[in-house]
Amino acid sequence: MDTEPDTTAPGQADASKKGAFGRKVFFLNPPPVIGEVATALSDAEFEVYSTRDHAKLARFLRKEPECLTFINIDDGDDENIWRKWLKSIQQDEASKGAAFGIITMLDEDAKRTYYLMEQGVACGFIVVKIGAAKTTEILLRMLEANEARGRRRYVRATCPPDGTDFSCALEDGVHKGWIKDLSSVGMSAVFIKGTTPKAGTRLKDLQLNLKGVRVILNGVVVGNNEAPGIGTVAVIMFEPASINDDKRAKLRSFIRRTLQATMDKALSLA
């Protein structure tokens, strides 16, 4: 985890940060099998979203085109809708940087040729009837090839101010606070009782409350930053030995849900 917390919300990425923070991955009208696939991609530290509103997504891509979108062309009664939708985005100057892939249950050569050769889809024509495991494998290779992770190793979620808190016991008593942003390996947080622990302080039995989901682990303060309007923000790394598979799954599940909720709001404003 980098020591600088990520405060960029979906839809607000600065162009200079795109290489550092990777590319958002959308599934438009995902079929049920993609639920398992999306979880696996998120666990591999890709920033994954789903939506069923193609009009709002189109507007979002005009604001933030550096995204990868996989379109389920089986959705609805007329596949031509997706051909026209895709072409309109590709021809719009504002969204030309967007990249697309196709997901379908039907392995039809005519459609494959059309999307790959005529529409110039760069992220593949993926037949999902091969199952979640194989689909995940193909998509992981595709996302790696498109550098969707960027230079960032771990996805972070900016936490809602009323949705998270933490506590830990130090020599001078119990300290409490709220979590500013969270990844599967660490967090930035604000202590609200007493002074912020200095760098190098070990936080044993650090208890995180993630919208009612409790995770107890150990952490180490690796630095402190000053944030305008907030004050001192502690950057905390979790001790790997204190995180088992169950705790890691809870962290990642919360991160996914928080990112999706934030994106839903961004799409509603697009």
Side-chain angles (χ1 to χ4, degrees):
M1 181 181 182
D2 302 327
T3 56
E4 181 183 356
D6 179 11
T7 58
T8 304
Q12 299 177 331
D14 185 90
S16 64
K17 294 183 179 180
K18 286 173 183 171
F21 294 110
R23 308 175 73 177
K24 295 175 177 61
V25 179
F26 284 95
F27 287 99
L28 177 59
N29 301 317
V33 67
I34 293 298
E36 184 178 342
V37 173
T39 296
L41 297 179
S42 296
D43 288 348
E45 301 294 341
F46 290 102
E47 190 175 342
V48 180
Y49 302 97
S50 65
T51 181
R52 295 191 174 277
D53 194 319
H54 60 280
K56 289 180 179 179
L57 178 58
R59 291 193 291 271
F60 180 85
L61 292 175
R62 293 183 180 100
K63 294 180 180 179
E64 190 176 330
E66 295 298 322
C67 299
L68 308 179
T69 300
F70 292 90
I71 309 165
N72 174 19
I73 60 171
D74 299 340
D75 189 77
D77 298 324
D78 185 2
E79 182 240 330
N80 284 316
I81 291 175
W82 307 120
R83 298 190 181 199
K84 294 175 182 177
W85 182 83
L86 177 57
K87 185 174 291 186
S88 70
I89 296 175
Q90 291 175 322
Q91 293 177 343
D92 191 312
E93 193 66 34
S95 52
K96 277 189 173 179
F100 296 91
I102 302 300
I103 52 177
T104 178
M105 291 289 290
L106 306 174
D107 191 2
E108 298 181 11
D109 288 339
K111 289 181 180 180
R112 181 187 297 273
T113 299
Y114 172 79
Y115 282 105
L116 295 180
M117 304 306 294
E118 292 190 41
Q119 294 263 180
V121 167
C123 295
F125 186 95
I126 301 165
V127 182
V128 296
K129 70 178 181 181
I130 55 180
K134 187 64 176 178
T135 301
T136 299
E137 180 184 333
I138 293 170
L139 284 169
L140 282 172
R141 289 201 304 267
M142 189 66 66
L143 297 184
E144 292 285 4
N146 283 275
E147 300 182 334
R149 194 183 285 109
R151 296 191 298 273
R152 173 193 57 194
R153 294 178 61 194
Y154 302 100
V155 172
R156 274 179 266 183
T158 300
C159 299
D162 59 346
T164 61
D165 57 66
F166 71 90
S167 63
C168 60
L170 297 174
E171 291 181 357
D172 58 346
V174 175
H175 286 245
K176 298 181 179 181
W178 56 276
I179 302 169
K180 187 170 180 290
D181 62 60
L182 177 73
S183 80
S184 62
V185 297
M187 67 181 188
S188 66
V190 178
F191 286 77
I192 59 175
K193 182 179 179 180
T195 57
T196 302
K198 63 182 181 181
T201 302
R202 185 169 185 256
L203 308 176
K204 192 174 185 301
D205 295 330
L206 175 63
Q207 180 172 301
L208 313 183
N209 179 21
L210 309 175
K211 282 199 169 183
V213 176
R214 186 189 310 181
V215 181
I216 300 175
L217 36 68
N218 299 331
V220 177
V221 179
V222 297
N224 293 318
N225 300 320
E226 293 300 319
I230 296 177
T232 303
V233 178
V235 180
I236 299 166
M237 294 289 291
F238 303 142
E239 293 184 352
S242 70
I243 304 179
N244 56 25
D245 290 343
D246 179 62
K247 293 177 183 179
R248 187 173 291 106
K250 288 178 179 178
L251 291 172
R252 285 175 169 161
S253 176
F254 175 79
I255 291 166
R256 282 196 300 273
R257 287 185 284 111
T258 300
L259 286 172
Q260 184 66 57
T262 305
M263 179 55 72
D264 290 342
K265 291 180 182 178
L267 289 173
S268 71
L269 298 173

Short mmCIF file of all heavy atoms in Angstrom, two decimals, residues 72-95:
data_model
loop_
_atom_site.label_atom_id
_atom_site.label_comp_id
_atom_site.label_asym_id
_atom_site.label_seq_id
_atom_site.Cartn_x
_atom_site.Cartn_y
_atom_site.Cartn_z
N ASN A 72 -22.66 -7.27 -22.36
CA ASN A 72 -23.41 -8.50 -22.56
C ASN A 72 -24.39 -8.28 -23.70
O ASN A 72 -25.46 -7.68 -23.51
CB ASN A 72 -24.15 -8.88 -21.28
CG ASN A 72 -25.05 -10.09 -21.47
OD1 ASN A 72 -24.89 -10.86 -22.42
ND2 ASN A 72 -26.02 -10.26 -20.57
N ILE A 73 -24.05 -8.75 -24.89
CA ILE A 73 -24.87 -8.49 -26.06
C ILE A 73 -26.10 -9.39 -26.13
O ILE A 73 -26.93 -9.24 -27.02
CB ILE A 73 -24.06 -8.61 -27.38
CG1 ILE A 73 -23.48 -10.03 -27.53
CG2 ILE A 73 -22.97 -7.56 -27.43
CD1 ILE A 73 -22.86 -10.29 -28.90
N ASP A 74 -26.24 -10.33 -25.18
CA ASP A 74 -27.42 -11.19 -25.14
C ASP A 74 -28.59 -10.51 -24.44
O ASP A 74 -29.72 -11.00 -24.52
CB ASP A 74 -27.11 -12.50 -24.40
CG ASP A 74 -26.01 -13.31 -25.06
OD1 ASP A 74 -25.74 -13.08 -26.25
OD2 ASP A 74 -25.40 -14.14 -24.37
N ASP A 75 -28.34 -9.41 -23.76
CA ASP A 75 -29.39 -8.75 -22.98
C ASP A 75 -30.38 -8.05 -23.92
O ASP A 75 -29.98 -7.33 -24.84
CB ASP A 75 -28.77 -7.73 -22.03
CG ASP A 75 -29.79 -7.19 -21.05
OD1 ASP A 75 -30.11 -7.89 -20.09
OD2 ASP A 75 -30.27 -6.05 -21.27
N GLY A 76 -31.66 -8.26 -23.67
CA GLY A 76 -32.69 -7.63 -24.49
C GLY A 76 -33.06 -8.45 -25.71
O GLY A 76 -32.53 -9.54 -25.95
N ASP A 77 -33.98 -7.90 -26.50
CA ASP A 77 -34.50 -8.63 -27.66
C ASP A 77 -33.79 -8.30 -28.96
O ASP A 77 -33.94 -9.01 -29.95
CB ASP A 77 -36.00 -8.33 -27.83
CG ASP A 77 -36.81 -8.79 -26.63
OD1 ASP A 77 -36.46 -9.84 -26.05
OD2 ASP A 77 -37.78 -8.09 -26.27
N ASP A 78 -33.03 -7.20 -28.97
CA ASP A 78 -32.43 -6.75 -30.22
C ASP A 78 -30.95 -6.43 -30.01
O ASP A 78 -30.61 -5.43 -29.39
CB ASP A 78 -33.17 -5.51 -30.73
CG ASP A 78 -32.68 -5.06 -32.10
OD1 ASP A 78 -31.78 -5.72 -32.67
OD2 ASP A 78 -33.19 -4.04 -32.59
N GLU A 79 -30.09 -7.30 -30.50
CA GLU A 79 -28.66 -7.12 -30.33
C GLU A 79 -28.13 -5.87 -31.05
O GLU A 79 -27.09 -5.33 -30.69
CB GLU A 79 -27.93 -8.36 -30.85
CG GLU A 79 -26.43 -8.34 -30.69
CD GLU A 79 -25.73 -8.46 -32.02
OE1 GLU A 79 -26.30 -9.10 -32.92
OE2 GLU A 79 -24.62 -7.92 -32.16
N ASN A 80 -28.88 -5.38 -32.05
CA ASN A 80 -28.47 -4.18 -32.77
C ASN A 80 -28.38 -2.95 -31.87
O ASN A 80 -27.66 -1.99 -32.17
CB ASN A 80 -29.43 -3.89 -33.93
CG ASN A 80 -29.20 -4.82 -35.09
OD1 ASN A 80 -28.06 -5.08 -35.48
ND2 ASN A 80 -30.28 -5.37 -35.65
N ILE A 81 -29.10 -2.98 -30.75
CA ILE A 81 -29.02 -1.88 -29.78
C ILE A 81 -27.58 -1.71 -29.32
O ILE A 81 -27.07 -0.58 -29.21
CB ILE A 81 -29.94 -2.16 -28.58
CG1 ILE A 81 -31.40 -2.07 -29.00
CG2 ILE A 81 -29.64 -1.20 -27.43
CD1 ILE A 81 -32.37 -2.46 -27.90
N TRP A 82 -26.89 -2.83 -29.09
CA TRP A 82 -25.53 -2.76 -28.56
C TRP A 82 -24.54 -2.37 -29.63
O TRP A 82 -23.55 -1.68 -29.36
CB TRP A 82 -25.16 -4.09 -27.90
CG TRP A 82 -26.18 -4.48 -26.88
CD1 TRP A 82 -26.96 -5.60 -26.87
CD2 TRP A 82 -26.60 -3.70 -25.76
NE1 TRP A 82 -27.82 -5.57 -25.81
CE2 TRP A 82 -27.63 -4.42 -25.11
CE3 TRP A 82 -26.22 -2.47 -25.24
CZ2 TRP A 82 -28.26 -3.95 -23.97
CZ3 TRP A 82 -26.86 -1.99 -24.10
CH2 TRP A 82 -27.86 -2.72 -23.47
N ARG A 83 -24.83 -2.75 -30.88
CA ARG A 83 -23.97 -2.31 -31.98
C ARG A 83 -24.03 -0.79 -32.13
O ARG A 83 -22.99 -0.12 -32.29
CB ARG A 83 -24.39 -3.00 -33.28
CG ARG A 83 -24.26 -4.52 -33.24
CD ARG A 83 -24.46 -5.14 -34.61
NE ARG A 83 -24.36 -6.60 -34.55
CZ ARG A 83 -24.13 -7.39 -35.59
NH1 ARG A 83 -23.96 -6.85 -36.79
NH2 ARG A 83 -24.06 -8.69 -35.45
N LYS A 84 -25.25 -0.25 -32.09
CA LYS A 84 -25.42 1.20 -32.23
C LYS A 84 -24.84 1.94 -31.03
O LYS A 84 -24.21 2.98 -31.17
CB LYS A 84 -26.91 1.52 -32.40
CG LYS A 84 -27.51 1.00 -33.69
CD LYS A 84 -29.01 1.26 -33.73
CE LYS A 84 -29.63 0.69 -35.00
NZ LYS A 84 -31.11 0.88 -35.02
N TRP A 85 -25.07 1.39 -29.84
CA TRP A 85 -24.57 2.03 -28.61
C TRP A 85 -23.05 2.08 -28.64
O TRP A 85 -22.45 3.13 -28.35
CB TRP A 85 -25.06 1.25 -27.39
CG TRP A 85 -24.65 1.83 -26.07
CD1 TRP A 85 -25.27 2.84 -25.39
CD2 TRP A 85 -23.53 1.43 -25.26
NE1 TRP A 85 -24.60 3.11 -24.22
CE2 TRP A 85 -23.53 2.26 -24.11
CE3 TRP A 85 -22.54 0.47 -25.38
CZ2 TRP A 85 -22.59 2.14 -23.10
CZ3 TRP A 85 -21.59 0.36 -24.37
CH2 TRP A 85 -21.62 1.19 -23.25
N LEU A 86 -22.43 0.98 -28.98
CA LEU A 86 -20.97 0.91 -29.04
C LEU A 86 -20.42 1.87 -30.08
O LEU A 86 -19.46 2.62 -29.82
CB LEU A 86 -20.54 -0.52 -29.35
CG LEU A 86 -19.05 -0.79 -29.53
CD1 LEU A 86 -18.27 -0.36 -28.30
CD2 LEU A 86 -18.82 -2.27 -29.82
N LYS A 87 -21.03 1.90 -31.26
CA LYS A 87 -20.54 2.77 -32.33
C LYS A 87 -20.65 4.24 -31.93
O LYS A 87 -19.76 5.04 -32.23
CB LYS A 87 -21.32 2.50 -33.61
CG LYS A 87 -20.81 3.28 -34.81
CD LYS A 87 -21.52 2.86 -36.09
CE LYS A 87 -21.13 1.45 -36.49
NZ LYS A 87 -21.70 1.05 -37.82
N SER A 88 -21.73 4.60 -31.23
CA SER A 88 -21.91 6.00 -30.85
C SER A 88 -20.82 6.46 -29.89
O SER A 88 -20.36 7.61 -29.96
CB SER A 88 -23.29 6.20 -30.20
OG SER A 88 -23.35 5.57 -28.92
N ILE A 89 -20.38 5.58 -29.01
CA ILE A 89 -19.31 5.93 -28.07
C ILE A 89 -17.97 6.00 -28.78
O ILE A 89 -17.16 6.90 -28.54
CB ILE A 89 -19.28 4.93 -26.90
CG1 ILE A 89 -20.58 5.02 -26.11
CG2 ILE A 89 -18.07 5.19 -26.00
CD1 ILE A 89 -20.69 3.99 -25.02
N GLN A 90 -17.73 5.03 -29.66
CA GLN A 90 -16.46 5.01 -30.39
C GLN A 90 -16.30 6.23 -31.29
O GLN A 90 -15.19 6.70 -31.53
CB GLN A 90 -16.36 3.73 -31.23
CG GLN A 90 -16.19 2.47 -30.40
CD GLN A 90 -16.22 1.22 -31.26
OE1 GLN A 90 -16.99 1.13 -32.22
NE2 GLN A 90 -15.38 0.25 -30.93
N GLN A 91 -17.41 6.77 -31.80
CA GLN A 91 -17.35 7.91 -32.71
C GLN A 91 -17.37 9.25 -31.99
O GLN A 91 -17.15 10.29 -32.62
CB GLN A 91 -18.51 7.83 -33.71
CG GLN A 91 -18.40 6.66 -34.68
CD GLN A 91 -19.58 6.56 -35.62
OE1 GLN A 91 -20.64 7.15 -35.39
NE2 GLN A 91 -19.42 5.79 -36.69
N ASP A 92 -17.66 9.24 -30.70
CA ASP A 92 -17.68 10.48 -29.92
C ASP A 92 -16.26 10.85 -29.51
O ASP A 92 -15.55 10.05 -28.89
CB ASP A 92 -18.56 10.29 -28.68
CG ASP A 92 -18.86 11.60 -27.98
OD1 ASP A 92 -17.91 12.38 -27.74
OD2 ASP A 92 -20.04 11.84 -27.65
N GLU A 93 -15.83 12.04 -29.83
CA GLU A 93 -14.47 12.47 -29.55
C GLU A 93 -14.15 12.39 -28.06
O GLU A 93 -13.03 12.04 -27.67
CB GLU A 93 -14.27 13.92 -30.04
CG GLU A 93 -12.82 14.36 -30.08
CD GLU A 93 -11.99 13.60 -31.12
OE1 GLU A 93 -12.55 13.25 -32.18
OE2 GLU A 93 -10.81 13.36 -30.85
N ALA A 94 -15.14 12.68 -27.21
CA ALA A 94 -14.90 12.69 -25.76
C ALA A 94 -14.66 11.31 -25.18
O ALA A 94 -14.00 11.17 -24.15
CB ALA A 94 -16.09 13.35 -25.05
N SER A 95 -15.19 10.26 -25.82
CA SER A 95 -15.09 8.92 -25.25
C SER A 95 -14.26 7.96 -26.09
O SER A 95 -14.31 6.75 -25.91
CB SER A 95 -16.50 8.33 -25.06
OG SER A 95 -17.26 8.40 -26.25
#
